[in-house]
Amino acid sequence: MTQQELADRLGVTNKAISKWETGEALPDTALLVPIADVFGVSVDELLRGQAFSEHSDRQHFSPKEERDRIVQKYAPESWHKRFALLICMGVGLILCGVLTVIVVGLTTENDNIILLSIAIMLIFITAGVDLCIIAGILNDNAFLPVADPLWRKKVNQFTAFITSGFTGIMLAVVCFVAFGVFKEKSVIFILGMAGGFVLLFGGVVLLVYGGICWGGYSKRVKASLETKRNTQAEDALAALTVEERKHETLGGRISGIIMLSATAIYLVIGFIWNLWHPGWIVFPVAGLICGIINIILGEKH
């Protein structure tokens, strides 16, 4: 805002504004309320200078850095340790799952045992990814300075929906893999496949429903914060710009398509050509591709 624009709003000259900025003069008390209204602060904040000093501090940070800074400010020290523990446990479980398949593959050529080891690997990976998801969602949202008393509860509900949905989908894949051992026993095989499709359907429903509910709620909270001019919490919620959200959404969609495709490829080559043992390699390859894509999209914005 230029000096002239502010002067026009307040009905004074731009020279008066210049003197206020340099400290040569002070506004009349009758102008304090109009000035506070223009800048969206209270008269007390205007006289103390708190709002402007906080604003100048925020200018040195990007939106994402500002969001992280606010979260770190309000997150208790105990959470930092818990966050690190959850991430370490999640990565550890994922590595344990991968090592299980490698060890079994090196020690036996029995297809049934290899299939079961793959199922065990997927269970370990599911548990590990669930822990990382919980840590990530809570770290990004649970400690934002939002006045709504339901915020933390809604964050926990969103976390539960996402982890439950992901777990259901992965357990469906476990069923498809594990019950491949019983191909010759048609009843058990059919029941296992049916159970897998039920889990797959339930997992997708939970993911979609949880995401839609959270999106609507967070938008309402943001709109309420804008009305109340709760600048710090509003900036924290809006820290990811539209462009950043577009890339994040694009990366997530591409990753989802890649992993679903990998699962489909694995099931096809397993059931048709009985290549369960070398076929599992599609999962780490797909994961590597997803990581590269997200890195590229992150660098672009």
Side-chain angles (χ1 to χ4, degrees):
M1 186 183 300
T2 65
Q3 292 180 349
Q4 188 60 53
E5 288 172 339
L6 179 59
D8 292 339
R9 289 196 183 191
L10 298 176
V12 298
T13 64
N14 60 345
K15 292 182 179 180
I17 303 296
S18 177
K19 290 182 178 180
W20 298 348
E21 289 183 346
T22 58
E24 296 179 19
L26 294 175
D28 293 336
T29 55
L31 291 174
L32 293 181
V33 173
I35 293 173
D37 290 339
V38 168
F39 292 104
V41 297
S42 67
V43 174
D44 182 65
E45 289 174 329
L46 181 65
L47 294 175
R48 292 177 183 272
Q50 290 179 343
F52 297 123
S53 63
E54 289 177 2
H55 179 69
S56 63
D57 289 340
R58 288 198 296 272
Q59 288 180 332
H60 298 293
F61 298 93
S62 69
K64 183 63 170 66
E65 290 172 338
E66 175 64 15
R67 178 191 177 99
D68 293 340
R69 193 170 69 94
I70 293 174
V71 170
Q72 295 300 316
K73 175 181 177 181
Y74 286 89
E77 183 61 32
S78 59
W79 165 248
H80 302 312
K81 297 178 181 178
R82 184 183 172 194
F83 175 76
L85 180 62
L86 288 173
I87 296 298
C88 290
M89 291 177 61
V91 173
L93 287 171
I94 293 172
L95 292 177
C96 286
V98 175
L99 289 175
T100 299
V101 173
I102 294 176
V103 171
V104 172
L106 292 175
T107 56
T108 182
E109 295 182 357
N110 188 306
D111 290 339
N112 290 338
I113 295 177
I114 292 174
L115 276 177
L116 291 176
S117 70
I118 292 175
I120 293 172
M121 176 194 71
L122 292 175
I123 292 174
F124 272 108
I125 290 177
T126 301
V129 173
D130 278 343
L131 290 177
C132 293
I133 291 174
I134 292 171
I137 294 177
L138 293 180
N139 189 66
D140 285 346
N141 297 283
F143 304 104
L144 290 175
V146 176
D148 190 337
L150 292 177
W151 178 261
R152 186 73 62 85
K153 180 180 178 180
K154 292 292 186 180
V155 171
N156 291 334
Q157 288 178 351
F158 175 62
T159 305
F161 273 117
I162 298 302
T163 53
S164 298
F166 175 76
T167 300
I169 293 174
M170 292 300 290
L171 289 180
V173 178
V174 171
C175 284
F176 296 147
V177 173
F179 281 92
V181 176
F182 303 100
K183 285 189 296 183
E184 298 178 355
K185 300 179 180 180
S186 58
V187 176
I188 298 177
F189 178 75
I190 292 173
L191 288 175
M193 295 297 106
F197 282 111
V198 170
L199 287 170
L200 181 62
F201 176 78
V204 172
V205 168
L206 288 173
L207 281 176
V208 174
Y209 179 77
I212 292 175
C213 289
W214 171 254
Y217 172 74
S218 61
K219 287 179 181 179
R220 289 196 300 272
V221 171
K222 181 181 175 182
S224 174
L225 289 172
E226 288 174 348
T227 302
K228 296 178 180 178
R229 295 185 180 276
N230 189 339
T231 307
Q232 188 178 48
E234 177 189 329
D235 288 348
L237 285 171
L240 295 179
T241 63
V242 174
E243 187 68 16
E244 287 173 325
R245 288 186 185 277
K246 182 181 72 174
H247 283 294
E248 287 196 350
T249 302
L250 178 61
R253 289 176 179 174
I254 294 175
S255 298
I257 293 172
I258 291 173
M259 295 309 297
L260 287 175
S261 300
T263 303
I265 293 171
Y266 176 72
L267 293 174
V268 169
I269 64 178
F271 285 118
I272 297 179
W273 295 289
N274 200 32
L275 297 175
W276 298 104
H277 173 41
W280 64 268
I281 195 67
V282 298
F283 290 108
V285 171
L288 181 62
I289 295 173
C290 290
I292 294 173
I293 288 174
N294 281 285
I295 290 174
I296 293 174
L297 290 177
E299 289 177 349
K300 284 184 178 180
H301 72 272

